[in-house]
Amino acid sequence: MREERSEIISRYFIAKYPFTVEAQAWLRERKIDLDFLVKEMPAVLVRARDRVIKALEEGVAPSILDDPEAEFLSFPIARMIVEIVGDPFLRHRFAVAEAKRAQGFFKEEDVETLTVIATRTFGIDCQPVKKDISGRVYSFKIHFADYLRYASGFHDPYWKLVNRVLSKGYVFLAKDDFTRILAGAVEKRLLEPREPPLKVPSEIKQIVDEVVSKVMARRERYVLEEVEGGEVVEEAFPPCISALILALRKNQPLPHSARFTLTSFLLSVGYSVDRIISLFSEIPDFKEEITRYQVEHIAGIRSGTRYTPPKCETMKTYGLCLFHEKCRNIRHPLEYYRKYKRHRSKEAVKLDSGGQAGEERNIPQGSL
């Protein structure tokens, strides 16, 4: 493993990973004055603004490495803007976008570099390994406590500890899963509020005012996207829905009928539009604008008609039914969900067999 800082630090490294201890040390050593930066390095301000605006509106952070220094310096300025605005929604969007950006770079790194980032910046107890278990290659092992610290926030049974290879207190992970954990660490770090400066140059203040305006507009849109449904109990999802989510996490292609079923089900149980879009963002060909249009169409925001998931009989014709023994006498995925949600809450409520299922409608043309 490359242990020396000089072996890992480069202009491109700090540009790609501005949140690392190495990048922060480099920034402290440079002692860059904020007024000087604003006056003499306008490209930094432009990139910082784009970083925040794109995170807010598109959920992504640009990855431009043609000028590594400007790219790196735009990160602390962007984060400063986020903290001055002080809006939790913006902070969350920024953290998620930066985590996704970092994960894109993580996937191209070797195991040694990833291990150095994980241990030095986030204090994660992990080691590179070479292990083949049942045909799957594992490149890392991570202490279960650190695994739970970050994976517990992932809303998918795929990440539950019981579904993992665990030996002597360590969870074995493939490289892709390890980069997801590392991205989770980035997101968690950036969600921690920081004290903003009391005074900033007028150029930054102008950007802050613009961002505040965009955040307010975005919030109004969010109100329309809220979906009632109470607490979502993912453990009560029917096997067919859990299988679709797992397939999505594994980047397996889903047919149109499966995407419609998954989206309409999640909307029905209380997932927000943005949460569903975030779920679909895992797939390689993800395009947020198209996905948002399709999800909002199914939610009834665009079409005026809110769609419900297909009945079990229809699921069988789609080839999506798993014929699980727990589904006996169940006629609709939402019926299953309600039944097992009640069981989980230990409520002595007898399942109403008189048709809890939602009304079935045709799949809208062009959805998902």
Side-chain angles (χ1 to χ4, degrees):
M1 182 188 305
R2 290 178 292 182
E3 293 290 349
E4 296 300 323
R5 178 184 161 193
S6 59
E7 291 184 32
I8 194 170
I9 278 290
S10 73
R11 295 167 67 239
Y12 286 100
F13 180 86
I14 63 173
K16 289 189 290 185
Y17 310 120
F19 48 81
T20 57
V21 293
E22 290 85 359
Q24 296 303 309
W26 185 90
L27 183 63
R28 286 194 297 273
E29 291 171 2
R30 291 288 300 273
K31 297 180 180 178
I32 298 175
D33 180 76
L34 186 57
D35 290 317
F36 171 83
L37 187 149
V38 170
K39 300 296 184 186
E40 304 299 328
M41 302 181 71
V44 172
L45 217 55
V46 171
R47 292 196 181 197
R49 175 195 172 279
D50 287 348
R51 220 159 171 148
V52 177
I53 296 295
K54 286 187 178 296
L56 173 65
E57 297 186 336
E58 303 174 24
V60 299
S63 304
I64 306 171
L65 300 180
D66 58 338
D67 185 346
E69 187 173 32
E71 178 72 1
F72 165 66
L73 291 173
S74 71
F75 174 77
I77 300 300
R79 195 173 184 193
M80 179 193 301
I81 292 169
V82 170
E83 294 305 327
I84 293 173
V85 174
D87 184 275
F89 173 68
L90 175 64
R91 184 182 293 114
H92 180 262
R93 295 283 290 183
F94 180 74
V96 171
E98 290 293 332
K100 286 182 178 178
R101 173 187 179 276
Q103 189 178 8
F105 289 126
F106 289 155
K107 291 180 178 179
E108 304 300 322
E109 298 290 358
D110 55 43
V111 294
E112 289 79 12
T113 299
L114 294 176
T115 304
V116 168
I117 294 174
T119 55
R120 290 182 180 174
T121 296
F122 300 109
I124 296 174
D125 182 356
C126 63
Q127 297 174 28
V129 297
K130 291 183 180 178
K131 204 171 187 66
D132 188 324
I133 302 176
S134 302
R136 188 172 192 194
V137 178
Y138 294 86
S139 301
F140 297 91
K141 66 176 184 180
I142 174 174
H143 194 271
F144 80 93
D146 285 325
Y147 177 82
L148 290 175
R149 182 187 308 170
Y150 300 113
S152 60
F154 303 159
H155 301 288
D156 191 303
Y158 176 74
W159 293 99
K160 290 189 177 302
L161 193 58
V162 294
N163 295 326
R164 290 289 160 181
V165 176
L166 180 65
S167 176
K168 299 179 180 178
Y170 284 85
V171 180
F172 287 80
L173 296 175
K175 182 182 176 183
D176 281 351
D177 288 349
F178 187 77
T179 63
R180 181 69 183 90
I181 291 290
L182 213 46
V186 174
E187 179 182 337
K188 197 177 184 71
R189 177 69 56 84
L190 297 183
L191 284 174
E192 298 171 358
R194 299 174 66 179
E195 195 67 33
L198 296 176
K199 292 183 63 177
V200 294
S202 59
E203 291 85 348
I204 293 180
K205 182 66 169 56
Q206 289 176 8
I207 298 176
V208 169
D209 291 342
E210 179 188 4
V211 172
V212 168
S213 175
K214 289 182 178 295
V215 168
M216 292 176 65
R218 183 79 182 183
R219 278 198 170 284
E220 291 177 0
R221 183 179 176 185
Y222 231 61
V223 170
L224 299 176
E225 295 172 352
E226 289 181 354
V227 180
E228 294 183 1
E231 180 187 0
V232 178
V233 180
E234 293 168 351
E235 290 78 4
F237 284 4
C240 55
I241 298 299
S242 297
L244 293 179
I245 294 175
L246 184 59
L248 204 62
R249 292 295 190 200
K250 291 182 175 179
N251 293 331
Q252 294 176 356
L254 293 181
H256 164 71
S257 57
R259 295 186 182 204
F260 170 80
T261 298
L262 181 58
T263 300
S264 56
F265 177 88
L266 294 177
L267 286 168
S268 297
V269 301
Y271 266 48
S272 69
V273 169
D274 269 76
R275 192 173 179 184
I276 294 173
I277 292 172
S278 176
L279 182 65
F280 277 98
S281 68
E282 300 282 341
I283 60 177
D285 61 345
F286 170 73
K287 292 182 173 57
E288 179 169 347
E289 184 177 357
I290 296 174
T291 304
R292 178 174 295 282
Y293 176 86
Q294 294 167 337
V295 174
E296 289 181 346
H297 186 86
I298 295 172
I301 296 173
R302 293 177 180 271
S303 64
T305 301
R306 181 169 176 170
Y307 294 84
T308 53
K311 298 176 181 176
C312 293
E313 283 300 314
T314 308
M315 294 283 282
K316 291 174 183 175
T317 65
Y318 288 162
L320 300 177
C321 178
L322 301 182
F323 298 93
H324 197 281
E325 61 178 8
K326 292 179 69 176
C327 297
R328 188 174 301 169
N329 298 324
I330 296 292
R331 298 177 298 173
H332 196 283
L334 290 178
E335 183 182 353
Y336 180 104
Y337 176 76
R338 294 187 182 103
K339 175 182 177 181
Y340 285 98
K341 184 178 180 181
R342 292 190 189 105
H343 282 193
R344 184 173 177 78
S345 302
K346 298 181 180 180
E347 295 179 0
V349 178
K350 185 178 181 180
L351 180 66
D352 177 8
S353 60
Q356 293 287 337
E359 182 183 353
E360 184 177 19
R361 295 182 174 88
N362 293 330
I363 298 175
Q365 293 298 316
S367 66
L368 295 176

